[in-house]
Amino acid sequence: MNSIVRDLKNIISGEVSNIKEDLLAVSEDFGGIIQKKPQVIVRPQNSADIAASIKYAQKQGLTISSKAAGHSLSGQSLNNDGILLDMRGLNQIHEFHPDRLWFKGDTGVTWQQVVDRSLPNGVTPPVLTNYFGVTIGGTHSAGGLGPSSFRYGTQADNCLGLEVVTANGDIVWCDPEENSELFNHVLCGYGQFGIITQVKHRLRKYQPFTRTYFLCYDDLNLLLKDEYFLAASENLVDALMCLFSPCIMGVSRTGNNGLKPLIKWFYRMQITREFSSEAEMNDDKFLSQLNFYRHIYTENLTFEKFIQPTMTMTFPESHAHPWLDVILPGSMAKEYIDSALEITPSFIDFRNTPIGSFSMLKKNSKMPMFSLPEEDFLVGFGMYPSVPKSHVQPVLEKMNYLTELGFQMGGKRYIASWSDLDLPKWRLQFGDYWLKLNEMKRKYDPQGILNPGFFQYEYEQVAHPKEQALI
């Protein structure tokens, strides 16, 4: 191990460490479920350091992975017994062009940095996640979803170009025209086909005022009907999300296992519209098109205030986060959500766990590695529990059950959240694209050194003996 540290220090300008405390600090991600400890941490100063590290890993038969903020949930950004690239030091925005509606930044730039730079210039990224502490490299590797994804797709769909270091250690620029095949597989590719070092991303202009309607539904069918209407209507709304709230109506004593809570679920839809002036706002005309049970509240904010997330990531270190996102065909959404909500009280604290849905249109998401069901209107179901690590196993079993149920109904997983897919489920996840995905892995990472241990593949190749991700 000391020889690896010495070798790397001789070939890169960044820091190299195998100090026990440093290794332990990067052995777990936000999910708190998977632990992997690398042999060595490299803190690169530039892309050349990453290229040199990859070439060294290739010669030594070591695996290599990249990690920045570490907000993955299933160990996607961890490394076992190889080299971990700590990308947090690569955190500069190099170009920012509000007039041309794009910026370019390092992979370790956070979306908070981008928003802070954007808002004073009257622009914003088209899609923002519900937490801004994640990095642009991380979300482009996963997809990146937010309340405006029904309109603009994933964050990856708004990428204009990438600097990538390949498994051969080459530094390559790729975009939809130049090296497009690599571009289309690095995006949403979880570091399997190359390591993102810089991102060029689209911006859009925003309107100065927002109005958000908080609407309560007591009928899931009507909620889904309105979700589809709002998502499919061109430029009618700018942000859309739904949260589900349980109301305990009593208990039943007729069940086989003792008392059973009687729960009525209500569904809150938050609809946000942007305006250039308050005079444009016409509530009556807009709301008359919808089928809500009650109009709870209307909130008027400047765009700058509206866009700031309400979600925080302050959880006890003793807790794990087995979060789940399933993307469903719209036609199966009600059946799936009803089934999921029926079993929810049996395994989590459903009163304190965020549960909700989001909408997408398949036509707005073009990334081949972001697998979607075969319908145009898609409904995402999300469940985000935080549980003590000592109690996480029964929750994981239910999450795997909900994953299986989603596949049975033609759904796909958003695999940035908790994912424990075996080979048959990976085949279901990618469907007809499965053979192409294997071909691309063979082409761009023939030795299987890039970020192993998460994806599984279906072809024989040389793999690091301690990290048999490729079979």
Side-chain angles (χ1 to χ4, degrees):
M1 188 182 301
N2 289 329
S3 65
I4 296 174
V5 173
R6 183 176 60 251
D7 291 347
L8 287 168
K9 285 184 175 180
N10 286 333
I11 61 174
I12 71 166
S13 54
E15 298 178 8
V16 183
S17 174
N18 65 345
I19 298 172
K20 180 180 178 180
E21 291 75 15
D22 289 348
L23 298 178
L24 288 175
V26 297
S27 66
E28 192 171 82
D29 58 10
F30 176 72
I33 300 165
I34 304 296
Q35 290 80 39
K36 296 180 181 181
K37 190 170 75 171
Q39 286 196 55
V40 175
I41 302 169
V42 171
R43 301 185 181 99
Q45 287 190 358
N46 47 47
S47 301
D49 280 355
I50 296 170
S53 299
I54 289 177
K55 289 177 180 178
Y56 179 80
Q58 188 181 55
K59 289 179 181 178
Q60 299 298 318
L62 295 168
T63 63
I64 188 163
S65 309
S66 60
K67 176 179 182 292
H71 285 107
S72 59
L73 294 163
S74 299
Q76 295 97 318
S77 60
L78 304 181
N79 182 279
N80 187 57
D81 205 29
I83 299 171
L84 182 76
L85 299 168
D86 183 345
M87 311 291 268
R88 288 175 293 179
L90 301 178
N91 58 10
Q92 300 300 307
I93 297 175
H94 296 289
E95 296 185 61
F96 191 86
H97 301 283
D99 53 333
R100 297 159 63 186
L101 297 179
W102 63 268
F103 74 91
K104 183 191 288 186
D106 291 331
T107 187
V109 168
T110 66
W111 286 104
Q112 186 67 63
Q113 289 176 261
V114 176
V115 170
D116 290 346
R117 185 75 175 270
S118 300
L119 294 183
N121 290 281
V123 295
T124 181
V127 178
L128 287 166
T129 59
N130 291 319
Y131 175 67
F132 292 174
V134 290
T135 61
I136 63 174
T139 60
H140 279 79
S141 293
L145 293 172
S148 60
S149 285
F150 72 94
R151 188 166 173 184
Y152 299 107
T154 66
Q155 289 182 324
D157 287 299
N158 292 278
C159 180
L160 300 174
L162 298 169
E163 182 185 82
V164 174
V165 182
T166 70
N168 292 324
D170 298 323
I171 302 173
V172 177
W173 179 258
C174 55
D175 58 37
E177 285 76 40
E178 182 181 0
N179 298 309
S180 60
E181 187 178 74
L182 182 62
F183 176 78
N184 286 328
H185 290 84
V186 171
L187 287 170
C188 311
Y190 293 89
Q192 297 291 308
F193 306 95
I195 294 177
I196 297 172
T197 52
Q198 287 192 11
V199 174
K200 181 180 178 182
H201 192 86
R202 183 176 288 115
L203 298 167
R204 72 168 178 90
K205 295 180 180 179
Y206 63 81
Q207 299 296 331
F209 301 103
T210 69
R211 174 165 286 182
T212 299
Y213 306 94
F214 293 74
L215 306 179
C216 179
Y217 289 74
D218 61 352
D219 185 317
L220 182 56
N221 264 325
L222 293 178
L223 175 90
L224 294 170
K225 178 182 177 180
D226 283 358
E227 273 196 87
Y228 173 67
F229 167 72
L230 293 168
S233 299
E234 193 77 18
N235 301 327
L236 184 60
V237 298
D238 298 285
L240 183 61
M241 63 181 294
C242 299
L243 293 171
F244 304 160
S245 301
C247 180
I248 299 177
M249 308 299 292
V251 294
S252 169
R253 295 175 290 175
T254 59
N256 295 327
N257 299 313
L259 300 179
K260 176 184 177 181
L262 301 175
I263 300 168
K264 169 65 178 176
W265 287 90
F266 291 90
Y267 315 96
R268 186 185 83 214
M269 182 147 59
Q270 292 179 210
I271 307 166
T272 300
R273 306 170 74 197
E274 297 176 26
F275 298 95
S276 60
S277 71
E278 295 185 8
E280 296 179 27
M281 302 178 184
N282 186 330
D283 291 353
D284 292 340
K285 180 179 178 181
F286 173 70
L287 294 175
S288 67
Q289 304 171 89
L290 304 177
N291 300 283
F292 52 87
Y293 166 58
R294 283 190 180 175
H295 178 187
I296 303 299
Y297 185 65
T298 298
E299 182 177 67
N300 296 320
L301 296 173
T302 63
F303 183 87
E304 291 89 341
K305 190 169 183 180
F306 159 74
I307 203 65
Q308 298 300 329
T310 57
M311 181 179 179
T312 62
M313 300 288 269
T314 54
F315 298 94
E317 291 186 6
S318 60
H319 280 51
H321 309 102
W323 293 359
L324 175 85
D325 285 294
V326 180
I327 303 176
L328 302 157
S331 63
M332 300 301 297
K334 182 182 186 303
E335 182 178 347
Y336 180 91
I337 293 171
D338 281 341
S339 299
L341 295 181
E342 177 69 24
I343 69 167
T344 293
S346 69
F347 70 97
I348 60 171
D349 180 1
F350 62 95
R351 292 165 297 184
N352 295 306
T353 296
I355 303 173
S357 74
F358 55 91
S359 304
M360 295 187 70
L361 297 177
K362 188 177 177 69
K363 66 181 181 180
N364 293 334
S365 187
K366 305 296 185 183
M367 293 295 104
M369 290 296 295
F370 194 82
S371 193
L372 292 172
E374 293 300 326
E375 286 186 14
D376 188 46
F377 176 58
L378 308 173
V379 175
F381 174 82
M383 181 181 294
Y384 312 110
S386 178
V387 298
K389 292 179 181 179
S390 58
H391 298 156
V392 76
Q393 194 56 45
V395 178
L396 298 182
E397 292 172 4
K398 293 295 186 180
M399 293 303 184
N400 285 331
Y401 167 78
L402 291 173
T403 293
E404 179 69 32
L405 182 64
F407 282 133
Q408 291 174 11
M409 294 186 181
K412 303 291 184 180
R413 283 297 317 275
Y414 180 34
I415 53 178
S417 53
W418 163 254
S419 302
D420 183 21
L421 306 185
D422 57 17
L423 191 57
K425 289 188 178 66
W426 281 113
R427 294 190 195 110
L428 288 172
Q429 175 70 15
F430 286 99
D432 293 342
Y433 205 74
W434 176 244
L435 293 179
K436 181 68 173 181
L437 185 153
N438 279 268
E439 177 189 333
M440 292 298 96
K441 183 66 173 179
R442 225 171 12 244
K443 177 176 180 178
Y444 288 105
D445 185 19
Q447 289 185 247
I449 66 169
L450 293 180
N451 200 27
F454 177 53
F455 272 59
Q456 294 186 29
Y457 297 94
E458 204 165 9
Y459 60 88
E460 294 181 1
Q461 68 175 59
V462 177
H464 189 269
K466 295 182 180 180
E467 191 73 86
Q468 292 292 337
L470 311 176
I471 62 175

